Amino acid sequence: MTKKVSETLLPADISNILNQYGHLLQSYSNLKERDSIFSSYKRTSNKLSVLFPLKEHPIHGITGLQATEKYDDNGYVKEYHYQWKVLVPKYGIIYSHISAWENEPHDHPSTPEEYKVNSEPHHHHHVPYNRHQRKDNYDIHSLESAFAFIAKYIESGEEYKP
């Protein structure tokens, strides 16, 4: 049985997020200039794309929160991708993955059973270094809620384990 999440998703309030979680951000000289919030921030009426480099984590290393939101004609979020990933060293998409939340639909009849979730289309790629596994996601549907999830690990230094 699929339980749909019915809510209107509002665009990220970057000013509020920076006020609330700015203490988690860090600039790194070894990141390319395009990998900082200041030069990779792109927002149009249709899309937000931004990378937030985070303070170094004692276990996960130099990580960041990559956020993409796509907006419908009314300005609401129709698709989101929030990924906590290792930035340095560069490992590629799979091996840099720590955790991610998305609402990209996976409801095609040919979708393998192990990829289907009850909260479709919202899902959580919850296993570090393995984006193939996913589980239900009823709670994290905004950039602010993704930051709230990650903040406890950055602030405590605790390792993220699903």
Side-chain angles (χ1 to χ4, degrees):
M1 180 177 158
T2 301
K3 180 181 175 186
K4 297 281 184 187
V5 176
S6 60
E7 61 182 66
T8 301
L9 301 174
L10 300 173
D13 182 340
I14 298 297
S15 295
N16 186 51
I17 289 168
L18 291 175
N19 285 335
Q20 213 170 355
Y21 300 104
H23 67 285
L24 301 177
L25 303 180
Q26 180 72 48
S27 294
Y28 296 99
S29 59
N30 55 338
L31 287 181
K32 293 181 181 175
E33 189 175 303
R34 66 177 175 79
D35 287 334
S36 77
I37 184 174
F38 305 108
S39 59
S40 71
Y41 178 83
K42 179 182 177 185
R43 187 172 221 163
T44 67
S45 61
N46 299 324
K47 186 177 180 179
L48 165 72
S49 178
V50 62
L51 174 66
F52 297 92
L54 302 169
K55 289 184 177 179
E56 188 167 356
H57 188 276
I59 296 164
H60 298 296
I62 297 175
T63 66
L65 178 55
Q66 177 78 49
T68 304
E69 293 180 346
K70 294 180 183 177
Y71 308 123
D72 66 17
D73 292 338
N74 297 314
Y76 295 111
V77 177
K78 66 179 178 181
E79 188 177 312
Y80 64 82
H81 304 271
Y82 308 121
Q83 182 184 5
W84 183 22
K85 63 183 186 176
V86 175
L87 299 179
V88 176
K90 283 201 174 268
Y91 289 128
I93 292 173
I94 292 175
Y95 297 111
S96 65
H97 168 77
I98 299 171
S99 190
W101 304 268
E102 301 174 343
N103 72 335
E104 181 181 35
H106 292 92
D107 57 355
H108 191 274
S110 66
T111 301
E113 252 339 281
E114 64 267 19
Y115 293 158
K116 294 180 181 178
V117 296
N118 292 321
S119 59
E120 175 70 35
H122 304 275
H123 57 278
H124 179 194
H125 296 272
H126 62 291
V127 179
Y129 318 113
N130 184 347
R131 280 190 51 85
H132 296 293
Q133 294 189 45
R134 55 180 81 125
K135 69 177 188 174
D136 295 335
N137 173 20
Y138 295 108
D139 303 318
I140 298 177
H141 305 143
S142 69
L143 181 54
E144 189 168 337
S145 58
F147 256 110
F149 181 93
I150 294 168
K152 61 187 170 195
Y153 295 101
I154 298 297
E155 291 170 342
S156 71
E158 179 184 339
E159 181 177 11
Y160 168 70
K161 294 181 184 178

